[in-house]
Amino acid sequence: KTENGRDLNTNEAIFCSSERARSVLLIPGDVVVSDTETITEYRVVDGSGGNHVKGLSRIAVYLTPNPNSREGLLWQDVGGKAVAFFDYDIDLRRKLEDSRA
C-alpha cells in the first residue's frame, strides 16, 4: 500500500481498519470474557465511480489471561496468540435512487 491509500500493484484505492474489543458477560456464578481483533481491508472496484466496494474482514479470537481458569492455563500455552480466525468477504454496493420517481 502506498501513502495515498493505493495498492502498489493494481493502483486500486484501499482503506484498512483495525479494532480490538473485549466483551464481558456477567451471569450468575460466572464471568465470561472474550477478546477479539477485527482487521478489514476495503477496495473500490474499478469503474464503479466509488459505488461498489469489496472487502475482506478477518476476525481473530484470543483466550484471556485469567490465572484461575482452564482458559488462563491454555492462554499461557499459546503465548497470548490468537486461537481462531474467521474470514468474511464483503461486497457493498451503493443503492442509487431511482431516477424514474
Side-chain angles (χ1 to χ4, degrees):
K1 182 178 150 194
T2 64
E3 288 183 16
N4 66 356
R6 298 220 169 255
D7 186 296
L8 291 172
N9 298 321
T10 65
N11 201 35
E12 291 178 304
I14 300 174
F15 173 76
C16 297
S17 65
S18 176
E19 174 186 24
R20 291 196 69 149
R22 172 171 279 179
S23 63
V24 179
L25 176 63
L26 302 172
I27 54 177
D30 200 7
V31 177
V32 178
V33 179
S34 63
D35 291 340
T36 59
E37 180 177 17
T38 304
I39 301 169
T40 307
E41 177 183 274
Y42 303 92
R43 293 175 178 265
V44 176
V45 175
D46 283 342
S48 72
N51 292 322
H52 187 191
V53 174
K54 288 192 173 191
L56 175 64
S57 184
R58 171 168 279 183
I59 300 174
V61 180
Y62 297 86
L63 299 174
T64 54
N66 181 351
N68 299 321
S69 72
R70 173 86 176 124
E71 184 178 336
L73 297 174
L74 292 171
W75 177 84
Q76 290 176 344
D77 289 346
V78 298
K81 296 178 183 167
V83 295
F85 291 98
F86 300 94
D87 289 342
Y88 298 92
D89 290 321
I90 299 170
D91 192 341
L92 304 170
R93 296 173 193 264
R94 185 184 311 267
K95 184 174 180 180
L96 303 174
E97 290 188 38
D98 190 351
S99 60
R100 295 176 290 177

